[in-house]
């Protein structure tokens, strides 16, 4: 990657979410003054000076062209990395189709915007067990998003596959809240190959994502629980 690419703005998808919010905080601690492009449907609660947060209807595919043109002006024509923390649940979305619209279609639409703006690296927060061939719709959708991202021609792709994310969300997810409370009981039982299913703090995943920025080695890299803990330490 060129010096210009590694100092260029990042395009952050999902900045209003649990991991995305942590990424924004960690990024500015590590790279103070570097611009973040964070398009979203609502304003960021604590937008900083170096955050460009266009409010757009990301559910509307026709916004892509205008968004690309607008970000090109702000970013002076070049984005360094696409960092995607988008994620919902089928229950929150309301249907499988609505879930796929976010976790697959929107993930890849914004990835194409990033590629159009010159991004050479993509970092995707996916899920443990993601596999396009899975019989589980959630995991299959996550796997299809991974495969689609790889197919867009980024020089380097980092796929993060955390287990249950620990942290305080702005939206209510009762089932997840119960699972979080049980974490101290079941995490120690998950050993060996099962360790990858352990719960993990959203802040640790965010730290790992930021640590992966500007890695020069090309290729496709998958990071599961143990690697995320090491990267996010």
């Amino acid at each position: 990657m060129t010096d210009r690419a590694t100092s260029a703005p990042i395009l952050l998808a999902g900045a209003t979410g649990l991991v995305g919010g942590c990424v924004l905080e960690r990024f500015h601690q590590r790279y103070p003054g570097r611009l973040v492009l964070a398009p979203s449907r609502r304003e960021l609660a604590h937008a900083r000076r170096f955050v460009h947060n266009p409010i757009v209807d990301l559910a509307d595919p026709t916004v892509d062209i205008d968004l690309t043109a607008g970000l090109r002006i702000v970013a002076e024509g070049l984005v360094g990395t696409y960092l995607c923390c988008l994620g919902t649940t089928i229950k929150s979305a309301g249907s499988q189709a609505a879930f796929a619209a976010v976790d697959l279609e929107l993930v890849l639409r914004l990835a194409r915007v990033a590629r159009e703006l010159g991004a050479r690296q993509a970092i995707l927060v996916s899920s443990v067990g993601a596999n396009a061939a899975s019989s589980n719709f959630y995991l299959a959708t996550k796997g299809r998003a991974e495969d689609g991202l790889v197919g867009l021609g980024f020089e380097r792709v980092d796929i993060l596959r955390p287990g249950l994310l620990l942290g305080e969300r702005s939206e209510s997810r009762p089932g997840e809240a119960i699972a979080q409370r049980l974490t101290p009981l079941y995490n120690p039982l998950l050993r060996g190959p099962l360790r990858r299913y352990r719960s993990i703090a959203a802040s640790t995943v965010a730290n790992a994502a930021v640590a992966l920025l500007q890695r020069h080695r090309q290729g496709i890299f998958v990071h599961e629980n143990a690697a995320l803990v090491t990267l996010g330490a």
Side-chain angles (χ1 to χ4, degrees):
M1 298 182 190
T2 66
D3 291 340
R4 176 69 179 93
T6 55
S7 64
I10 67 167
L11 176 58
L12 175 61
T16 59
L18 179 59
V19 176
C22 292
V23 164
L24 200 56
E25 188 68 27
R26 302 300 187 273
F27 182 83
H28 282 297
Q29 290 172 356
R30 184 161 183 172
Y31 302 103
R34 187 171 165 192
L35 180 64
V36 175
L37 309 174
S40 65
R41 296 172 183 168
R42 63 181 188 273
E43 291 184 10
L44 294 169
H46 303 290
R48 293 172 175 267
R49 177 183 173 190
F50 296 102
V51 178
H52 178 60
N53 179 216
I55 308 303
V56 292
D57 181 8
L58 294 173
D60 179 5
T62 63
V63 81
D64 288 6
I65 296 175
D66 290 338
L67 180 61
T68 304
L71 295 181
R72 186 187 302 280
I73 294 172
V74 174
E76 299 180 354
L78 183 65
V79 164
T81 300
Y82 172 54
L83 206 169
C84 183
C85 305
L86 285 170
T88 184
T89 64
I90 296 173
K91 183 176 181 180
S92 296
S95 67
Q96 290 185 342
F99 168 76
V102 174
D103 282 54
L104 173 61
E105 295 165 21
L106 186 53
V107 167
L108 297 182
R109 281 177 47 213
L110 290 177
R112 294 186 191 100
V113 169
R115 284 291 294 136
E116 180 68 22
L117 294 171
R120 298 183 176 186
Q121 179 186 22
I123 301 172
L124 173 66
V125 179
S126 184
S127 171
V128 63
N131 187 330
S134 175
S135 59
N136 178 286
F137 182 81
Y138 177 90
L139 297 178
T141 301
K142 289 291 190 180
R144 289 172 62 198
E146 292 181 2
D147 292 349
L149 190 66
V150 169
L152 290 178
F154 290 93
E155 292 180 8
R156 178 183 175 107
V157 176
D158 288 282
I159 297 171
L160 283 58
R161 291 181 180 167
L164 175 70
L165 295 170
L166 303 175
E168 188 173 343
R169 293 187 183 274
S170 57
E171 64 177 308
S172 175
R173 294 187 182 181
E176 187 175 283
I178 293 172
Q180 287 198 28
R181 287 196 290 270
L182 294 175
T183 291
L185 298 176
Y186 71 76
N187 253 12
L189 301 177
L190 300 175
R191 301 176 181 178
L194 295 178
R195 184 180 177 184
R196 66 189 185 127
Y197 292 101
R198 286 183 178 181
S199 300
I200 185 170
S203 58
T204 300
V205 177
N207 285 344
V210 173
L212 288 166
L213 285 167
Q214 301 185 180
R215 294 289 178 98
H216 293 276
R217 183 182 171 194
Q218 297 184 14
I220 302 162
F221 305 89
V222 177
H223 312 275
E224 297 192 324
N225 188 286
L228 295 176
V229 170
T230 298
L231 284 165

